[in-house]
Amino acid sequence: MMELEGARRMATALMAEHGLVGWRLVLDNAKTRAGVCRPARREIGLSRAITALHTEAEVRDTVLHEIAHALVGAHHGHDAVWRAKALEIGSSGRRCVDTASARPPAPWTGTCPAGHTTTRHRRPTRVVTCGQCSRSFDPRHVITWRFHGEVVPMHPAYDRELARLRRRTAAEPVAARGGR
């Protein structure tokens, strides 16, 4: 686990080492991405939550990943030019943080009727169905949500959409819904 002040010192030293003069480091509240490069603002951002959970090596790789973006320009995305620069400066050159890396727990857990689960960091505002049960929207696989394990009221727009969906589904003939 990396302390935020240590991460700040390391990141600003690496930015200076690679010539990012006039750039600044910001710590933000992201929960699903470890870092970001914002060339128009001349800043590199690190997630407070993810940085605090990652090892020094993981944080270093994230910082170098974002420095590579700053050095080659945003238009390169994760292409071969970016990857070559990332490897040259000591980054792993991976596009994303390893899926085995620690992430902050999401407060929202959704469950479909078949028991598959998914998580979110923000309150869902649209009705969604289970992607494991159906590749397209299927009202038979609507996900129900809990916040920290508790049933809580959903956003009013969510409730309205769900009510419309249930009325429409109830009005359809059984054969049109794939039944017998």
Side-chain angles (χ1 to χ4, degrees):
M1 306 254 200
M2 180 100 193
E3 290 183 21
L4 292 180
E5 194 50 45
R8 181 186 302 277
R9 282 192 304 274
M10 178 179 60
T12 54
L14 286 168
M15 291 165 67
E17 177 184 329
H18 293 288
L20 296 185
V21 178
W23 284 66
R24 67 188 189 117
L25 176 74
V26 296
L27 296 174
D28 59 38
N29 297 319
K31 302 290 190 294
T32 59
R33 59 127 181 96
V36 64
C37 175
R38 298 182 183 102
R41 297 184 199 173
R42 297 177 64 86
E43 70 183 27
I44 288 179
L46 292 178
S47 161
R48 280 184 193 92
I50 294 175
T51 297
L53 294 173
H54 282 185
T55 64
E56 183 175 340
E58 289 170 314
V59 174
R60 180 181 178 80
D61 193 52
T62 297
V63 172
L64 290 171
H65 174 118
E66 302 310 336
I67 288 172
H69 281 301
L71 294 173
V72 301
H75 61 284
H76 282 289
H78 293 110
D79 69 5
V81 172
W82 169 83
R83 183 168 163 69
K85 180 54 78 175
L87 292 170
E88 177 189 320
I89 67 172
S91 169
S92 66
R94 287 192 315 255
R95 197 178 150 262
C96 298
V97 172
D98 190 322
T99 56
S101 293
R103 296 189 184 266
W108 290 93
T109 302
T111 308
C112 81
H116 302 123
T117 61
T118 187
T119 59
R120 299 281 189 278
H121 285 279
R122 294 186 180 149
R123 178 191 301 260
T125 57
R126 301 291 313 267
V127 176
V128 294
T129 60
C130 180
Q132 292 182 51
C133 292
S134 177
R135 291 192 175 270
S136 60
F137 188 92
D138 186 336
R140 294 174 297 176
H141 305 289
V142 169
I143 292 176
T144 57
W145 295 96
R146 290 178 173 265
F147 183 70
H148 293 294
E150 301 293 324
V151 175
V152 296
M154 296 301 289
H155 189 278
Y158 183 98
D159 289 336
R160 286 190 299 272
E161 183 180 7
L162 185 59
R164 274 194 308 273
L165 177 65
R166 287 183 174 151
R167 282 192 305 271
R168 189 177 73 214
T169 303
E172 290 178 3
V174 172
R177 287 183 275 159
R180 296 182 188 257

